[in-house]
Amino acid sequence: MSALRSLQARLALCLAGVMLVAAGIAGTVSYRTAFHEVNELQDDQLRQMSALAKRRHLATPYGLQDLDNQVVDVGARIMVQVLHQGAWGDVEGAELPLPLAADLPDGLQTLEVQGQQRRLFLRTLPGGERVAVSQGTAVRDEVAHNAGKTTIVPIAALIPVLALAMIALIRHMLAPVLRLAQELDRRGDDQLAPLDDSDVPSEVLPFTAAINRLLHRVELALAQQRRFVADAAHELRTPLTAISLQAELLAGLNLGEQARPRLQSLQRGILRARHLVAQLLLLARLQGREDAHRDAVAVGLVCQSVLEDLLPLADHKQIVLTANVDMACSVRSDAMDLSAVLRNLIDNAIRYTQPGGQVGIDIAYRGAALHIHVSDNGPGVPEHERELVLSPFYRGAAATGSGSGLGLAIVHNIVQRMAGTVALNASGPGAGGLTVRIALPIPSTESPALPTPDVLHFQ
């Protein structure tokens, strides 16, 4: 069914059918024409033989005595007889005379003689004798059939050649459509530029034009959505800052025992809201930004800075942070983007790991890529949710941390822009723990000169 839905397959089948019908008609006409021409040629041979007898004015009662019929196949022999004094004479080397009627008319005719079809030409000579030149129709038909077959063989040989050439031409003509499909497949979610339809057939232009209009509408809708998220985040940041200041002022007052826990709960909520707003602003900035020029960034220095910032959060939850980072590693990126990747990965691991847990960071070159692994021994993510958690605002059913559901979405967005990959795996037995594995392309051979040690061990 899928093959019949292919325009290329349907064109090939239809053209192949037309070509076979045309070849059949051409072969039939060629065969019949060749068959007729060969028969005409053989009839002319009979006429020429009779004309030869006329020029020689045969008068012998036994016909032509100089025909060497012994070396010729019996079916192919040309028999020449002369009617002399009312009797047909014999031909040398043949079991003759043939029983021919004496009153046969002159000219070409086909007779059945002794159970065999023969083609016969009769001529009356100037002396009154009559000469009959005949040949069996079986051998004549065989020669004609062979001649007809020789005209069909080239046509039959051309059919597969023409079929292959036809398929190649169809593929060549449909190549622009395939190129457009491949271009669309290679595009990312944010690549909504119009398709280049400069070499697209005119029959496909309405389709590509409709796709370009759809891409434009999608781009406008996404731009409006990003503006809404960014504007909402900006509008929320100011009142949240004011509320946070008011909460700090309240914390300095002499509150009762019942008000103090409620104030602390309020401060935690404000902190989560501010974190969410910051993540929304970062996501809006990433989605609305064109790909910028990237330089070689020292991964170790960025990781060291991020670990120093997140160490208080880890200490508060009594989580052990360990890092094994090759300080010679570098990657082509924006320093803020790389910092956002590491910060969100490590921050997520800390937030979703129970107090007293462990978080490990490993960064090194492996093969043809830079690998960043962040592991924890928290509750982990079920296998069926590992693709979903890369989407914005998705939090698994078993999530217990105070995250916003944007961290991994931001990481995924940045890594995609860097032509890298993100994979989630369990770091412990069963589905326990989570390891986020990132692979980024290795930059050019230059590596920044770093005054730091070759390997950073952080614990």
Side-chain angles (χ1 to χ4, degrees):
M1 179 65 90
S2 59
L4 294 179
R5 295 182 62 183
S6 167
L7 179 61
Q8 177 175 316
R10 282 187 284 180
L11 280 173
L13 288 175
C14 292
L15 291 177
V18 172
M19 183 176 63
L20 287 174
V21 171
I25 295 174
T28 302
V29 172
S30 299
Y31 177 84
R32 290 183 176 275
T33 302
F35 188 88
H36 177 73
E37 291 294 333
V38 171
N39 272 323
E40 286 288 333
L41 177 62
Q42 294 180 109
D43 287 344
D44 288 340
Q45 289 177 346
L46 298 181
R47 292 189 185 97
Q48 290 170 7
M49 292 290 293
S50 67
L52 177 62
K54 178 181 178 180
R55 286 196 299 272
R56 295 179 61 175
H57 300 287
L58 295 178
T60 59
Y62 301 110
L64 298 178
Q65 301 296 326
D66 56 350
L67 289 178
D68 190 7
N69 274 327
Q70 296 293 341
V71 298
V72 181
D73 182 71
V74 174
R77 290 175 183 175
I78 297 177
M79 305 299 184
V80 181
Q81 291 177 270
V82 176
L83 178 66
H84 183 71
Q85 297 179 353
W88 288 100
D90 297 340
V91 174
E92 181 185 358
E95 297 178 359
L96 294 174
L98 294 176
L100 302 177
D103 58 348
L104 289 174
D106 287 355
L108 282 168
Q109 49 199 295
T110 302
L111 299 176
E112 183 174 348
V113 182
Q114 294 179 339
Q116 181 185 15
Q117 291 285 333
R118 299 188 69 84
R119 187 70 167 167
L120 182 69
F121 183 80
L122 285 91
R123 182 191 293 272
T124 302
L125 301 178
E129 297 91 348
R130 302 186 70 195
V131 61
V133 184
S134 66
Q135 188 180 26
T137 57
V139 68
R140 290 165 54 90
D141 291 344
E142 182 180 356
V143 173
H145 281 304
N146 291 336
K149 290 177 183 178
T150 57
T151 63
I152 298 177
V153 169
I155 297 176
L158 277 176
I159 289 177
V161 176
L162 291 175
L164 293 176
M166 176 188 64
I167 293 174
L169 285 174
I170 292 175
R171 287 185 177 178
H172 176 71
M173 288 186 291
L174 294 180
V177 180
L178 181 61
R179 177 187 60 79
L180 287 179
Q182 292 173 345
E183 180 186 343
L184 282 173
D185 283 338
R186 288 193 299 265
R187 287 190 177 190
D189 297 339
D190 56 344
Q191 294 177 318
L192 300 174
L195 295 173
D196 180 15
D197 55 5
S198 57
D199 59 344
V200 173
S202 58
E203 292 81 2
V204 187
L205 280 177
F207 182 66
T208 56
I211 291 179
N212 286 336
R213 290 193 294 270
L214 176 62
L215 290 175
H216 180 65
R217 293 195 298 270
V218 172
E219 185 178 20
L220 293 178
L222 289 178
Q224 183 179 7
Q225 180 184 3
R226 287 192 292 264
R227 284 196 303 270
F228 172 78
V229 172
D231 293 343
H234 278 292
E235 292 297 324
L236 288 172
R237 186 166 57 176
T238 300
L240 282 175
T241 303
I243 294 173
S244 178
L245 290 174
Q246 295 297 327
E248 290 179 5
L249 291 176
L250 284 175
L253 299 178
N254 187 15
L255 300 176
E257 294 182 359
Q258 293 182 347
R260 181 68 60 181
R262 295 182 180 179
L263 177 60
Q264 292 175 351
S265 178
L266 175 64
Q267 287 178 320
R268 287 193 298 270
I270 293 172
L271 184 62
R272 285 195 298 270
R274 294 183 65 178
H275 177 70
L276 173 61
V277 169
Q279 295 285 70
L280 282 173
L281 286 172
L282 177 59
L283 184 62
R285 179 178 66 84
L286 291 173
Q287 292 179 339
R289 186 188 64 183
E290 298 292 335
D291 288 341
H293 176 71
R294 295 186 175 95
D295 295 321
V297 178
V299 181
L301 294 179
V302 175
C303 182
Q304 187 174 11
S305 175
V306 170
L307 287 173
E308 291 172 354
D309 292 342
L310 294 177
L311 186 59
L313 180 61
D315 288 341
H316 178 72
K317 295 186 67 175
Q318 297 180 345
I319 289 176
V320 178
L321 280 178
T322 59
N324 186 14
V325 181
D326 185 352
M327 298 299 288
C329 290
S330 63
V331 67
R332 287 208 173 276
S333 171
D334 180 79
M336 293 187 64
D337 286 352
L338 182 61
S339 176
V341 169
L342 293 173
R343 185 178 300 276
N344 277 283
L345 289 178
I346 301 172
D347 181 76
N348 264 17
I350 294 174
R351 287 178 182 273
Y352 290 100
T353 300
Q354 65 279 4
Q358 295 180 346
V359 174
I361 302 99
D362 182 80
I363 301 176
Y365 287 138
R366 292 185 182 89
L370 172 68
H371 287 260
I372 301 174
H373 296 174
V374 177
S375 305
D376 63 63
N377 61 347
V381 177
E383 186 173 356
H384 65 276
E385 292 184 346
R386 289 174 188 168
E387 289 292 332
L388 299 175
V389 296
L390 299 178
S391 304
F393 298 109
Y394 184 87
R395 300 185 69 201
T400 57
S402 58
S404 59
L406 288 174
L408 288 178
I410 292 173
V411 170
H412 188 233
N413 186 289
I414 296 174
V415 172
Q416 275 191 323
R417 289 174 178 271
M418 297 169 65
T421 59
V422 180
L424 278 64
N425 304 101
S427 57
L434 180 68
T435 299
V436 181
R437 304 175 187 273
I438 294 177
L440 299 174
I442 294 179
S444 57
T445 53
E446 77 266 7
S447 184
L450 303 173
T452 51
D454 289 338
V455 178
L456 168 66
H457 295 287
F458 186 93
Q459 188 168 358

